[in-house]
Amino acid sequence: MHGPASSGWLLVALCSVTGAYCLLRMRGGGQGERGAAGGEALMGFGMAVMAVPAAVFTPPAWAWPAYAVVFGAAGLHALWAARSGAHHLHHLVGAGAMVYMSVVMAGSPAHAHGGGGSGVPLLTGALLLYFAGYVLLAGVRLVPVAAVAGSGGVDAARGGGTGAAGGGSTGAAGWGDRPELARACRLSMGMAMVAMLLTL
């Protein structure tokens, strides 16, 4: 996005690592868990590209409308998936936030060079409140899972995935199937979204 270069590079690193971890999560779990991990990987890599400092790379004019289309399609997919579980609504809000930021970037070339203040204040504020609340809630949820995981083997009973606790061939969940890592991944993306929305 368009703050100081050092914070931009930190966001790029955080979102890239998160996206890569989500890709690894796609290897395990059931169909629903793989789909959620794929959506989170798309969000992580999309946020990483969006966070590259403008002084280093200015995307071509067609990039922001393309972003809006890609994340609009991801939002429609999340809306469709929400029929089977309300947790997909968070993906819908995240995709909507990405579409919103893309539209702001496309409509304000000066913002791409550090101008700031281009978004709709009410919508930006509502998204900031949502993601700040999500970060706080995700942080609270992460603490008990980390404490239970340290007690040995109990984390499978608290797993949020559809297949992490069930029938692995080895009998133990791999590091890619650990619910506390998936929650930390979501927490990281929520914090990155707050940071990116603050620049609008």
Side-chain angles (χ1 to χ4, degrees):
M1 284 297 271
H2 312 294
S6 60
S7 62
W9 285 120
L10 287 172
L11 279 175
V12 169
L14 176 69
C15 294
S16 297
V17 168
T18 301
Y21 174 71
C22 291
L23 281 180
L24 290 175
R25 280 183 36 229
M26 289 179 66
R27 294 179 18 180
Q31 181 66 27
E33 180 66 23
R34 284 193 300 267
E40 291 166 0
L42 174 68
M43 185 71 68
F45 288 128
M47 289 169 62
V49 171
M50 192 176 270
V52 172
V56 175
F57 174 71
T58 302
W62 56 265
W64 300 121
Y67 250 66
V69 168
V70 167
F71 285 101
L76 289 175
H77 177 62
L79 183 62
W80 181 259
R83 296 175 308 127
S84 64
H87 64 279
H88 292 286
L89 293 176
H90 173 69
H91 293 152
L92 176 63
V93 174
M98 293 295 283
V99 169
Y100 168 63
M101 288 189 288
S102 300
V103 168
V104 167
M105 302 301 274
S108 179
H111 183 71
H113 299 290
S118 319
V120 178
L122 187 61
L123 183 54
T124 303
L127 288 170
L128 274 169
L129 282 175
Y130 172 81
F131 282 104
Y134 179 81
V135 165
L136 292 174
L137 183 61
V140 168
R141 287 182 176 170
L142 185 61
V143 172
V145 171
V148 170
S151 66
V154 183
D155 60 335
R158 296 182 53 106
T162 56
S169 59
T170 63
W175 65 270
D177 297 328
R178 297 184 61 168
E180 68 272 14
L181 289 178
R183 287 182 178 157
C185 167
R186 293 179 189 119
L187 176 64
S188 299
M189 284 197 290
M191 290 187 301
M193 187 67 79
V194 168
M196 293 172 78
L197 285 166
L198 283 172
T199 66
L200 291 184

